[in-house]
Amino acid sequence: MIEYDRWANEEILDAMRGADVVPRRARLWLPHIIGSQNTWVCRLEGTESPVPIWPDWSLDETALHLGALYTRWSRYLNQLPAPNLLKPVAYTNNCGEAYSGTPADILQHVLVHSRHYRSEIAAEIRAANRTPVISDFVFALRDPDFRKTVQPLS
């Protein structure tokens, strides 16, 4: 599903780059998706995030960080043995509080969080009397380029 998340975020970014108007809040939420995901993947890796949770990036900077984020996710997920998806990982939140969660649960959170903010972006674009890009999973499945990136279920 991380491949879908990348596809959806790239669709949003491409639409913003081609738009005549991008509402400020919508422009801030896509970098937030990237910043928060960086925080989570770094927690899973046991490292510090190189980016803030609420960055204020240009669209070009957002594109650079988006690519780097999914390279990081791919590297982490490809090296993670399947049984470790359910093995708790300790981390500290932004308030310094200690928690633990499984990579599977954290990944689920990341995907739901991203979907929430993509919906917020769509609402802002609608409020500006524009048509938002459709980033639903079924639309990703209809995209031949996306289909090349995912493994079929067997």
Side-chain angles (χ1 to χ4, degrees):
M1 289 303 287
I2 203 73
E3 296 92 353
Y4 157 67
D5 192 68
R6 179 183 191 151
W7 175 88
N9 290 331
E10 286 176 345
E11 289 290 302
I12 298 287
L13 178 61
D14 290 346
M16 286 182 175
R17 284 179 148 172
D20 58 339
V21 173
V22 177
R24 177 164 168 69
R25 287 179 11 170
R27 193 187 59 74
L28 292 175
W29 285 329
L30 185 57
H32 171 63
I33 291 170
I34 299 164
S36 62
Q37 282 198 31
N38 258 295
T39 297
W40 281 109
V41 74
C42 287
R43 285 174 179 164
L44 290 170
E45 294 172 334
T47 62
E48 290 291 319
S49 177
V51 299
I53 291 176
W54 284 98
D56 186 9
W57 295 326
S58 69
L59 294 177
D60 288 340
E61 290 170 314
T62 299
L64 288 173
H65 287 285
L66 186 67
L69 169 65
Y70 290 107
T71 297
R72 188 171 212 147
W73 270 122
S74 293
R75 186 176 58 240
Y76 173 77
L77 292 170
N78 288 332
Q79 63 80 34
L80 185 69
N84 288 10
L85 276 169
L86 301 177
K87 182 179 174 186
V89 174
Y91 65 90
T92 303
N93 72 5
N94 297 336
C95 298
E97 301 163 329
Y99 290 97
S100 69
T102 67
D105 288 343
I106 290 168
L107 188 57
Q108 177 105 13
H109 166 73
V110 162
L111 297 171
V112 170
H113 180 266
S114 291
R115 182 67 197 130
H116 166 76
Y117 276 98
R118 285 193 301 271
S119 296
E120 294 285 349
I121 291 168
E124 282 294 307
I125 291 170
R126 254 187 230 101
N129 295 317
R130 301 297 191 273
T131 302
V133 69
I134 299 173
S135 61
D136 294 342
F137 183 64
V138 71
F139 285 84
L141 292 175
R142 295 174 188 161
D143 182 333
D145 291 330
F146 173 75
R147 298 288 296 183
K148 293 175 193 172
T149 68
V150 295
Q151 299 284 333
L153 296 176
S154 49

